[in-house]
PDB file of all heavy atoms in Angstrom:
ATOM      1  N   MET A 311     -42.130 -27.171 -30.026  1.00  0.00           N
ATOM      2  CA  MET A 311     -42.397 -25.729 -29.975  1.00  0.00           C
ATOM      3  C   MET A 311     -43.430 -25.393 -28.915  1.00  0.00           C
ATOM      4  O   MET A 311     -43.236 -24.480 -28.100  1.00  0.00           O
ATOM      5  CB  MET A 311     -42.861 -25.253 -31.352  1.00  0.00           C
ATOM      6  CG  MET A 311     -41.801 -25.314 -32.433  1.00  0.00           C
ATOM      7  SD  MET A 311     -42.501 -24.936 -34.059  1.00  0.00           S
ATOM      8  CE  MET A 311     -41.039 -25.091 -35.101  1.00  0.00           C
ATOM      9  N   PHE A 312     -44.533 -26.132 -28.911  1.00  0.00           N
ATOM     10  CA  PHE A 312     -45.578 -25.865 -27.921  1.00  0.00           C
ATOM     11  C   PHE A 312     -45.088 -26.184 -26.506  1.00  0.00           C
ATOM     12  O   PHE A 312     -45.424 -25.471 -25.553  1.00  0.00           O
ATOM     13  CB  PHE A 312     -46.832 -26.675 -28.237  1.00  0.00           C
ATOM     14  CG  PHE A 312     -47.669 -26.115 -29.349  1.00  0.00           C
ATOM     15  CD1 PHE A 312     -47.999 -26.896 -30.445  1.00  0.00           C
ATOM     16  CD2 PHE A 312     -48.137 -24.810 -29.300  1.00  0.00           C
ATOM     17  CE1 PHE A 312     -48.787 -26.385 -31.475  1.00  0.00           C
ATOM     18  CE2 PHE A 312     -48.925 -24.291 -30.330  1.00  0.00           C
ATOM     19  CZ  PHE A 312     -49.252 -25.083 -31.415  1.00  0.00           C
ATOM     20  N   THR A 313     -44.299 -27.254 -26.361  1.00  0.00           N
ATOM     21  CA  THR A 313     -43.837 -27.641 -25.026  1.00  0.00           C
ATOM     22  C   THR A 313     -42.851 -26.628 -24.469  1.00  0.00           C
ATOM     23  O   THR A 313     -42.910 -26.274 -23.279  1.00  0.00           O
ATOM     24  CB  THR A 313     -43.209 -29.043 -25.063  1.00  0.00           C
ATOM     25  OG1 THR A 313     -44.156 -29.974 -25.588  1.00  0.00           O
ATOM     26  CG2 THR A 313     -42.789 -29.491 -23.680  1.00  0.00           C
ATOM     27  N   SER A 314     -41.932 -26.147 -25.296  1.00  0.00           N
ATOM     28  CA  SER A 314     -41.001 -25.113 -24.831  1.00  0.00           C
ATOM     29  C   SER A 314     -41.767 -23.871 -24.385  1.00  0.00           C
ATOM     30  O   SER A 314     -41.440 -23.256 -23.358  1.00  0.00           O
ATOM     31  CB  SER A 314     -40.009 -24.759 -25.945  1.00  0.00           C
ATOM     32  OG  SER A 314     -39.123 -25.824 -26.187  1.00  0.00           O
ATOM     33  N   SER A 315     -42.799 -23.507 -25.149  1.00  0.00           N
ATOM     34  CA  SER A 315     -43.621 -22.349 -24.768  1.00  0.00           C
ATOM     35  C   SER A 315     -44.339 -22.615 -23.447  1.00  0.00           C
ATOM     36  O   SER A 315     -44.425 -21.731 -22.575  1.00  0.00           O
ATOM     37  CB  SER A 315     -44.629 -22.044 -25.874  1.00  0.00           C
ATOM     38  OG  SER A 315     -43.973 -21.727 -27.086  1.00  0.00           O
ATOM     39  N   TYR A 316     -44.857 -23.829 -23.295  1.00  0.00           N
ATOM     40  CA  TYR A 316     -45.552 -24.207 -22.062  1.00  0.00           C
ATOM     41  C   TYR A 316     -44.600 -24.143 -20.858  1.00  0.00           C
ATOM     42  O   TYR A 316     -44.950 -23.596 -19.798  1.00  0.00           O
ATOM     43  CB  TYR A 316     -46.125 -25.615 -22.232  1.00  0.00           C
ATOM     44  CG  TYR A 316     -46.749 -26.220 -21.004  1.00  0.00           C
ATOM     45  CD1 TYR A 316     -48.012 -25.831 -20.578  1.00  0.00           C
ATOM     46  CD2 TYR A 316     -46.083 -27.203 -20.267  1.00  0.00           C
ATOM     47  CE1 TYR A 316     -48.597 -26.403 -19.445  1.00  0.00           C
ATOM     48  CE2 TYR A 316     -46.649 -27.769 -19.148  1.00  0.00           C
ATOM     49  CZ  TYR A 316     -47.914 -27.372 -18.739  1.00  0.00           C
ATOM     50  OH  TYR A 316     -48.483 -27.933 -17.627  1.00  0.00           O
ATOM     51  N   LEU A 317     -43.389 -24.677 -21.017  1.00  0.00           N
ATOM     52  CA  LEU A 317     -42.420 -24.650 -19.924  1.00  0.00           C
ATOM     53  C   LEU A 317     -42.021 -23.219 -19.582  1.00  0.00           C
ATOM     54  O   LEU A 317     -41.806 -22.885 -18.409  1.00  0.00           O
ATOM     55  CB  LEU A 317     -41.189 -25.474 -20.303  1.00  0.00           C
ATOM     56  CG  LEU A 317     -41.400 -26.996 -20.360  1.00  0.00           C
ATOM     57  CD1 LEU A 317     -40.198 -27.668 -21.011  1.00  0.00           C
ATOM     58  CD2 LEU A 317     -41.637 -27.568 -18.969  1.00  0.00           C
ATOM     59  N   LEU A 318     -41.923 -22.360 -20.586  1.00  0.00           N
ATOM     60  CA  LEU A 318     -41.603 -20.959 -20.330  1.00  0.00           C
ATOM     61  C   LEU A 318     -42.736 -20.263 -19.587  1.00  0.00           C
ATOM     62  O   LEU A 318     -42.497 -19.460 -18.673  1.00  0.00           O
ATOM     63  CB  LEU A 318     -41.326 -20.236 -21.653  1.00  0.00           C
ATOM     64  CG  LEU A 318     -39.921 -20.415 -22.233  1.00  0.00           C
ATOM     65  CD1 LEU A 318     -39.880 -19.961 -23.682  1.00  0.00           C
ATOM     66  CD2 LEU A 318     -38.889 -19.647 -21.401  1.00  0.00           C
ATOM     67  N   MET A 319     -43.984 -20.545 -19.963  1.00  0.00           N
ATOM     68  CA  MET A 319     -45.119 -19.953 -19.255  1.00  0.00           C
ATOM     69  C   MET A 319     -45.114 -20.383 -17.793  1.00  0.00           C
ATOM     70  O   MET A 319     -45.340 -19.568 -16.888  1.00  0.00           O
ATOM     71  CB  MET A 319     -46.426 -20.359 -19.928  1.00  0.00           C
ATOM     72  CG  MET A 319     -46.640 -19.786 -21.319  1.00  0.00           C
ATOM     73  SD  MET A 319     -48.198 -20.403 -22.037  1.00  0.00           S
ATOM     74  CE  MET A 319     -47.874 -20.190 -23.794  1.00  0.00           C
ATOM     75  N   ARG A 320     -44.868 -21.666 -17.554  1.00  0.00           N
ATOM     76  CA  ARG A 320     -44.809 -22.156 -16.171  1.00  0.00           C
ATOM     77  C   ARG A 320     -43.678 -21.487 -15.404  1.00  0.00           C
ATOM     78  O   ARG A 320     -43.848 -21.077 -14.252  1.00  0.00           O
ATOM     79  CB  ARG A 320     -44.610 -23.677 -16.163  1.00  0.00           C
ATOM     80  CG  ARG A 320     -45.851 -24.445 -16.526  1.00  0.00           C
ATOM     81  CD  ARG A 320     -45.721 -25.938 -16.339  1.00  0.00           C
ATOM     82  NE  ARG A 320     -44.516 -26.443 -15.700  1.00  0.00           N
ATOM     83  CZ  ARG A 320     -44.489 -27.523 -14.941  1.00  0.00           C
ATOM     84  NH1 ARG A 320     -45.602 -28.191 -14.694  1.00  0.00           N
ATOM     85  NH2 ARG A 320     -43.369 -27.961 -14.426  1.00  0.00           N
ATOM     86  N   ALA A 321     -42.502 -21.401 -16.042  1.00  0.00           N
ATOM     87  CA  ALA A 321     -41.351 -20.801 -15.367  1.00  0.00           C
ATOM     88  C   ALA A 321     -41.590 -19.322 -15.062  1.00  0.00           C
ATOM     89  O   ALA A 321     -41.103 -18.802 -14.053  1.00  0.00           O
ATOM     90  CB  ALA A 321     -40.107 -20.961 -16.236  1.00  0.00           C
ATOM     91  N   ASP A 322     -42.366 -18.645 -15.922  1.00  0.00           N
ATOM     92  CA  ASP A 322     -42.656 -17.224 -15.750  1.00  0.00           C
ATOM     93  C   ASP A 322     -43.901 -17.000 -14.889  1.00  0.00           C
ATOM     94  O   ASP A 322     -44.397 -15.878 -14.798  1.00  0.00           O
ATOM     95  CB  ASP A 322     -42.843 -16.574 -17.121  1.00  0.00           C
ATOM     96  CG  ASP A 322     -42.575 -15.082 -17.098  1.00  0.00           C
ATOM     97  OD1 ASP A 322     -41.843 -14.625 -16.200  1.00  0.00           O
ATOM     98  OD2 ASP A 322     -43.102 -14.376 -17.975  1.00  0.00           O
ATOM     99  N   ARG A 323     -44.424 -18.110 -14.327  1.00  0.00           N
ATOM    100  CA  ARG A 323     -45.594 -18.072 -13.445  1.00  0.00           C
ATOM    101  C   ARG A 323     -46.821 -17.487 -14.139  1.00  0.00           C
ATOM    102  O   ARG A 323     -47.633 -16.772 -13.525  1.00  0.00           O
ATOM    103  CB  ARG A 323     -45.288 -17.298 -12.155  1.00  0.00           C
ATOM    104  CG  ARG A 323     -44.149 -17.910 -11.349  1.00  0.00           C
ATOM    105  CD  ARG A 323     -43.979 -17.225  -9.999  1.00  0.00           C
ATOM    106  NE  ARG A 323     -42.865 -17.788  -9.251  1.00  0.00           N
ATOM    107  CZ  ARG A 323     -42.912 -18.919  -8.539  1.00  0.00           C
ATOM    108  NH1 ARG A 323     -44.040 -19.607  -8.511  1.00  0.00           N
ATOM    109  NH2 ARG A 323     -41.852 -19.354  -7.881  1.00  0.00           N
ATOM    110  N   HIS A 324     -46.947 -17.791 -15.418  1.00  0.00           N
ATOM    111  CA  HIS A 324     -48.137 -17.363 -16.153  1.00  0.00           C
ATOM    112  C   HIS A 324     -49.120 -18.520 -16.203  1.00  0.00           C
ATOM    113  O   HIS A 324     -48.770 -19.625 -16.640  1.00  0.00           O
ATOM    114  CB  HIS A 324     -47.773 -16.948 -17.582  1.00  0.00           C
ATOM    115  CG  HIS A 324     -48.964 -16.642 -18.436  1.00  0.00           C
ATOM    116  ND1 HIS A 324     -49.645 -15.454 -18.341  1.00  0.00           N
ATOM    117  CD2 HIS A 324     -49.608 -17.372 -19.378  1.00  0.00           C
ATOM    118  CE1 HIS A 324     -50.649 -15.462 -19.193  1.00  0.00           C
ATOM    119  NE2 HIS A 324     -50.647 -16.611 -19.840  1.00  0.00           N
ATOM    120  N   PRO A 325     -50.358 -18.331 -15.750  1.00  0.00           N
ATOM    121  CA  PRO A 325     -51.319 -19.443 -15.789  1.00  0.00           C
ATOM    122  C   PRO A 325     -51.627 -19.856 -17.222  1.00  0.00           C
ATOM    123  O   PRO A 325     -51.912 -19.017 -18.080  1.00  0.00           O
ATOM    124  CB  PRO A 325     -52.556 -18.858 -15.094  1.00  0.00           C
ATOM    125  CG  PRO A 325     -52.404 -17.367 -15.194  1.00  0.00           C
ATOM    126  CD  PRO A 325     -50.929 -17.099 -15.185  1.00  0.00           C
ATOM    127  N   VAL A 326     -51.561 -21.155 -17.463  1.00  0.00           N
ATOM    128  CA  VAL A 326     -51.816 -21.706 -18.788  1.00  0.00           C
ATOM    129  C   VAL A 326     -53.265 -22.177 -18.837  1.00  0.00           C
ATOM    130  O   VAL A 326     -53.749 -22.823 -17.896  1.00  0.00           O
ATOM    131  CB  VAL A 326     -50.861 -22.880 -19.084  1.00  0.00           C
ATOM    132  CG1 VAL A 326     -51.038 -23.360 -20.522  1.00  0.00           C
ATOM    133  CG2 VAL A 326     -49.412 -22.456 -18.844  1.00  0.00           C
ATOM    134  N   THR A 327     -53.964 -21.874 -19.920  1.00  0.00           N
ATOM    135  CA  THR A 327     -55.372 -22.244 -19.999  1.00  0.00           C
ATOM    136  C   THR A 327     -55.519 -23.764 -20.009  1.00  0.00           C
ATOM    137  O   THR A 327     -54.726 -24.470 -20.632  1.00  0.00           O
ATOM    138  CB  THR A 327     -56.027 -21.666 -21.260  1.00  0.00           C
ATOM    139  OG1 THR A 327     -55.399 -22.230 -22.412  1.00  0.00           O
ATOM    140  CG2 THR A 327     -55.890 -20.158 -21.309  1.00  0.00           C
TER     141      THR A 327
END
Side-chain angles (χ1 to χ4, degrees):
M311 293 173 180
F312 282 125
T313 303
S314 291
S315 299
Y316 174 77
L317 289 169
L318 279 166
M319 293 178 203
R320 285 188 7 148
D322 204 23
R323 300 187 182 279
H324 174 78
V326 186
T327 63

